[in-house]
Amino acid sequence: MSLRGRRQSLILSATLIGGLLVSGSVGSVAAPPGDAPAQASPRAISIEVLSSAPDQVTGGDALVEVTAPAALSPTDLRVSLNGDDVTGSFDLTADGSLVGMVEGLEDGDNTLRAEAAPSGRRPGVSFAKPATLSLTNYSKEGPIFSGPQQQPFVCTTARATHDGQKLLGQPLVDNQDSQGIAVALEDEGGN
């Protein structure tokens, strides 16, 4: 074999051996003694609205659950609403997630973000990908997905019957805005 052929053969062999060594060492991360092996790839934090769909929040608040990946303690999470820290609104649950009532949502679009707090980045803990969720908040009077409210609202529950029997009867109050305004009674003729 010529000198050039041997040189190419040595370079090819060194490249293959180097590649095997590198690929074998990248696939595992040493874990501290007594801990489960850490994962090589980071996993994402998750956010879920429990009280409604994220695009149908009402009244300026939402019940939210934040879950950290296994390699990150839930106490190492920071949660913000539109840039303001709301982490104090969350409590640690028995299953290891954070659940809390997030208040102070503005009408319209809001952004909820969960991320690992700077103090949460410890040696041996994989970095967790932050989570961002858009919430759309509506007034508690609505509307959420329909048109404007009917004004004046006509209630016909006193007239509803089934098999000749009244179903609901006359409402005693109109609970618009939780005011409890008394309503006029109808007679048997619907007047």
Side-chain angles (χ1 to χ4, degrees), residues 59-153:
D61 58 28
L63 185 63
V64 175
E65 179 179 43
V66 178
T67 306
L72 182 67
S73 170
T75 59
D76 289 334
L77 292 175
R78 178 184 179 275
V79 184
S80 61
L81 173 65
N82 300 327
D84 296 328
D85 191 342
V86 293
T87 309
S89 301
F90 289 85
D91 293 316
L92 185 61
T93 65
D95 68 353
S97 64
L98 296 176
V99 174
M101 182 66 72
V102 176
E103 298 176 332
L105 279 80
E106 300 170 0
D107 283 347
D109 295 333
N110 295 267
T111 302
L112 196 60
R113 180 177 172 86
E115 60 190 336
S119 62
R121 296 190 183 130
R122 298 179 300 218
V125 176
S126 63
F127 178 75
K129 182 178 177 186
T132 302
L133 183 65
S134 295
L135 305 176
T136 306
N137 180 54
Y138 297 90
S139 165
K140 67 180 179 178
E141 290 84 24
I144 296 177
F145 50 83
S146 63
Q149 294 181 359
Q150 178 186 3
Q151 294 294 332
F153 177 73

Side-chain angles (χ1 to χ4, degrees), residues 21-53:
L21 289 174
V22 169
S23 67
S25 64
V26 171
S28 62
V29 175
D35 286 351
Q39 296 191 9
S41 63
R43 293 175 53 195
I45 298 167
S46 69
I47 304 173
E48 181 181 1
V49 178
L50 302 176
S51 56
S52 68

